[in-house]
């Protein structure tokens, strides 16, 4: 083994966990002062770097991190695995459409499906999740501007609401909405899956 | 490890508690990595939070061909890179360095803190890619092919970056 190779091996295996040496390298080191010196340099460097080995969050910081993450995670839909998702494209489209229908009926309160209520908190989640600005929100909720309704519903808020629907609710919605309503939903909520 | 795999599976199904357990396990390591990159506690804390949020959102993209720890570090390295690019702070200044709660740290920790500060300054003089490569390799013991993947460079480029970082650090630390 040549010195160049040995030094390269030593360097590439140099970590805070220590240098692990193969027998061949050890044999070379036993016989070579230059490479032993190089290893010593690495060891000195490792000693110098010890203060950077670990950083710890203070209990306050740790709590701050957990709380901040909890607040963000609560709005996140479950990260369903890709392969599952692929098998569920049709059901998901159905769920999202149902979710759209539910919120639509709640807002319009004119449909036979209005008895399919969603909890206030779920509804707030959709509003909070929507990327709409205040003005548009106001138009929808206070001026009843129906044309803007589809914009309330983006994919993220739909996914959120879909995750809040109770089992069976999807089927309930699909059974009770009219053909016209379904057509309108499909036309206006072109949700990309 | 099996336990970790279970926690990941549960988190993928939307179990936030399972995910929080993973956060608890890795928060100090991710925070440490980002501290060594940014030398700023407040920013490191923010970026740690960003890293875990992104991890949750992308959990379905986690492939078990690398360890969860490696995968998290790859996200953290990306977040840090973007931050440094945004802040145009190739050379981080160790400001805001002290822990917010002085009482938490033992008195004899003063020297260690001073040393840390000096070392962070030294590491901070490295270009971002070399600094990140050095951190991932030396402190996190990631394999070069994993580092290469994380940084979208070839394995030999990752080794060169590491070698360059070593050369510079040896010079600085040897003074
Ligand atoms: Zn030699």
């Amino acid at each position: 083994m040549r010195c160049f190779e040995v030094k390269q091996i030593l360097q590439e295996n140099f970590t805070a966990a220590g240098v692990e040496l193969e027998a061949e390298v050890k044999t070379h080191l036993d016989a070579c002062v230059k490479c032993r010196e190089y290893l010593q340099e690495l060891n000195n460097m490792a000693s110098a770097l010890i203060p950077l080995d670990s950083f710890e969050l203070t209990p306050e910081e740790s709590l701050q991190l957990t709380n901040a993450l909890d607040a963000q995670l609560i709005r996140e839909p479950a990260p369903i695995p890709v392969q599952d998702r692929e098998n569920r494209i049709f059901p998901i489209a159905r769920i999202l459409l149902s979710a759209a229908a539910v919120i639509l009926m709640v807002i319009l309160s004119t449909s036979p499906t209005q008895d399919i209520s969603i909890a206030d908190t779920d509804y707030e989640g959709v509003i909070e999740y929507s990327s709409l600005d205040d003005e548009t929100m106001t138009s929808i909720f206070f001026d009843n501007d129906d044309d803007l309704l589809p914009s309330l519903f983006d994919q993220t808020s739909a996914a959120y609401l879909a995750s809040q629907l109770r089992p069976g609710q999807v089927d309930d919605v699909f059974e009770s909405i009219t053909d016209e309503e379904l057509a309108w939903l499909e036309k206006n909520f072109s949700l990309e899956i | 490890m099996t336990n970790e795999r279970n926690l990941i599976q549960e988190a993928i199904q939307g179990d936030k508690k399972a995910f929080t357990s993973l956060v608890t396990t890795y928060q100090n390591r991710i925070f440490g990595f980002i501290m060594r990159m940014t030398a700023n506690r407040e920013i490191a804390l923010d970026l740690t939070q960003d890293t875990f949020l992104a991890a949750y959102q992308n959990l379905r993209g986690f492939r078990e061909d690398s360890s969860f720890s490696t995968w998290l570090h790859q996200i953290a390295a990306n977040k840090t890179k973007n931050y440094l690019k945004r802040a145009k702070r190739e050379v981080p200044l160790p400001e805001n360095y002290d822990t917010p709660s002085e009482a938490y740290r033992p008195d004899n920790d003063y020297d260690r803190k001073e040393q840390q500060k000096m070392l962070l300054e030294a590491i901070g003089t490295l270009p971002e890619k070399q600094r990140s490569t050095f951190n991932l390799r030396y402190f996190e013991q990631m394999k070069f092919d994993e580092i290469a993947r994380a940084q979208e460079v070839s394995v030999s480029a990752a080794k060169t970056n590491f070698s360059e970082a070593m050369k510079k650090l040896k010079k600085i630390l040897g003074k």
Side-chain angles (χ1 to χ4, degrees):
Chain A
M1 233 178 186
R2 293 182 302 165
C3 291
F4 174 75
E5 287 173 282
V6 171
K7 284 183 180 174
Q8 206 166 14
I9 289 171
L10 289 176
Q11 179 173 286
E12 281 175 11
N13 289 287
F14 174 64
T15 73
V19 185
E20 228 174 83
L21 302 176
E22 287 169 23
E24 207 182 343
V25 178
K26 274 184 192 160
T27 315
H28 180 99
L29 285 169
D30 284 341
C32 177
V33 184
K34 282 261 157 71
C35 286
R36 274 209 301 277
E37 277 171 10
Y38 183 71
L39 180 59
Q40 188 55 49
E41 273 176 41
L42 292 184
N43 287 336
N44 293 345
M45 197 168 154
S47 308
L49 287 169
I50 286 173
L52 291 191
D53 271 359
S54 64
F55 283 89
E56 261 176 52
L57 292 167
T58 63
E60 293 85 0
E61 286 170 333
S62 179
L63 193 68
Q64 190 190 329
L65 174 72
T66 318
N67 287 343
L69 268 175
D70 280 351
Q72 286 174 311
L73 290 180
I74 211 157
R75 302 177 199 164
E76 291 295 321
I80 299 160
V82 176
Q83 66 268 37
D84 289 8
R85 223 168 32 131
E86 280 161 3
N87 296 336
R88 283 193 215 156
I89 285 185
F90 177 63
I92 283 184
R94 216 169 115 94
I95 289 169
L96 293 186
L97 265 176
S98 303
V102 170
I103 195 145
L104 182 73
M105 302 323 161
V106 169
I107 295 167
L108 297 179
S109 299
T110 56
S111 155
T113 53
Q114 65 183 278
D115 58 329
I116 303 164
S117 62
I118 55 168
D120 285 344
T121 46
D122 299 342
Y123 193 24
E124 277 167 20
V126 173
I127 294 165
E128 208 179 326
Y129 226 148
S130 174
S131 50
L132 291 185
D133 56 41
D134 270 348
E135 209 183 308
T136 318
M137 285 286 199
T138 311
S139 300
I140 292 172
F141 291 102
F142 295 98
D143 309 324
N144 298 319
D145 188 345
D146 294 348
D147 292 340
L148 289 171
L149 269 177
S151 61
L152 173 69
F153 227 76
D154 58 21
Q155 198 182 346
T156 334
S157 55
Y160 171 81
L161 187 61
S163 72
Q164 304 297 311
L165 290 175
R166 53 164 213 276
Q169 203 163 10
V170 175
D171 293 334
D172 288 350
V173 173
F174 263 80
E175 275 168 30
S176 49
I177 53 179
T178 65
D179 287 346
E180 287 91 342
E181 281 169 338
L182 185 62
W184 189 87
L185 283 167
E186 280 177 327
K187 184 168 146 262
N188 288 285
F189 297 95
S190 51
L191 297 158
E192 276 177 44
I193 313 286
Chain B
M1 262 323 148
T2 323
N3 183 38
E4 179 170 290
R5 207 167 289 170
N6 290 342
L7 286 174
I8 294 167
Q9 282 313 313
E10 283 158 20
I12 285 177
Q13 300 305 323
D15 183 343
K16 316 255 155 97
K17 278 222 174 77
F19 188 73
T20 306
S21 308
L22 293 166
V23 173
T24 310
T25 307
Y26 288 105
Q27 60 181 12
N28 282 336
R29 282 191 57 194
I30 294 300
F31 175 70
F33 168 75
I34 301 173
M35 260 312 275
R36 287 189 290 268
M37 291 298 293
T38 62
N40 183 311
R41 273 193 100 83
E42 222 169 280
I43 289 162
L45 194 59
D46 276 354
L47 290 174
T48 302
Q49 187 186 327
D50 288 354
T51 298
F52 282 114
L53 181 64
Y56 185 80
Q57 289 166 332
N58 295 292
L59 209 49
R60 65 164 77 115
F62 170 62
R63 300 268 176 276
E64 292 187 352
D65 53 4
S66 71
S67 74
F68 187 62
S69 163
T70 296
W71 185 70
L72 277 179
H73 279 91
Q74 287 170 338
I75 298 174
N78 258 324
K79 291 277 165 199
T80 313
K81 184 177 79 181
N82 291 341
Y83 163 75
L84 291 170
K85 212 191 279 172
R86 235 181 17 245
K88 289 203 179 73
R89 281 180 51 173
E90 282 294 322
V91 183
L93 304 169
E95 58 191 44
N96 243 327
Y97 172 70
D98 289 342
T99 60
S101 149
E102 285 300 322
Y104 171 68
R105 296 279 171 182
D107 285 346
N108 64 2
D109 212 39
Y110 179 78
D111 281 351
R112 185 183 163 92
K113 259 202 252 174
E114 280 304 301
Q115 276 177 310
Q116 277 185 341
K117 202 168 170 175
M118 190 273 287
L119 287 165
L120 286 173
E121 267 168 25
I123 288 187
T125 61
L126 302 174
E128 185 270 326
K129 215 158 227 174
Q130 290 177 15
R131 197 186 327 156
S132 181
T133 306
F134 182 79
N135 268 317
L136 293 173
R137 177 61 195 154
Y138 181 77
F139 290 106
E140 308 304 332
Q141 289 120 51
M142 262 167 71
K143 296 186 187 113
F144 279 107
D145 62 333
E146 292 170 335
I147 297 170
R149 219 180 309 148
Q151 308 204 318
E152 293 168 330
V153 297
S154 66
V155 173
S156 68
K159 286 184 177 178
T160 307
N161 284 333
F162 183 69
S163 171
E164 285 298 311
M166 287 282 288
K167 231 184 276 173
K168 286 178 193 163
L169 281 179
K170 224 189 307 172
K171 217 184 228 174
I172 300 168
L173 299 177
K175 270 181 198 164

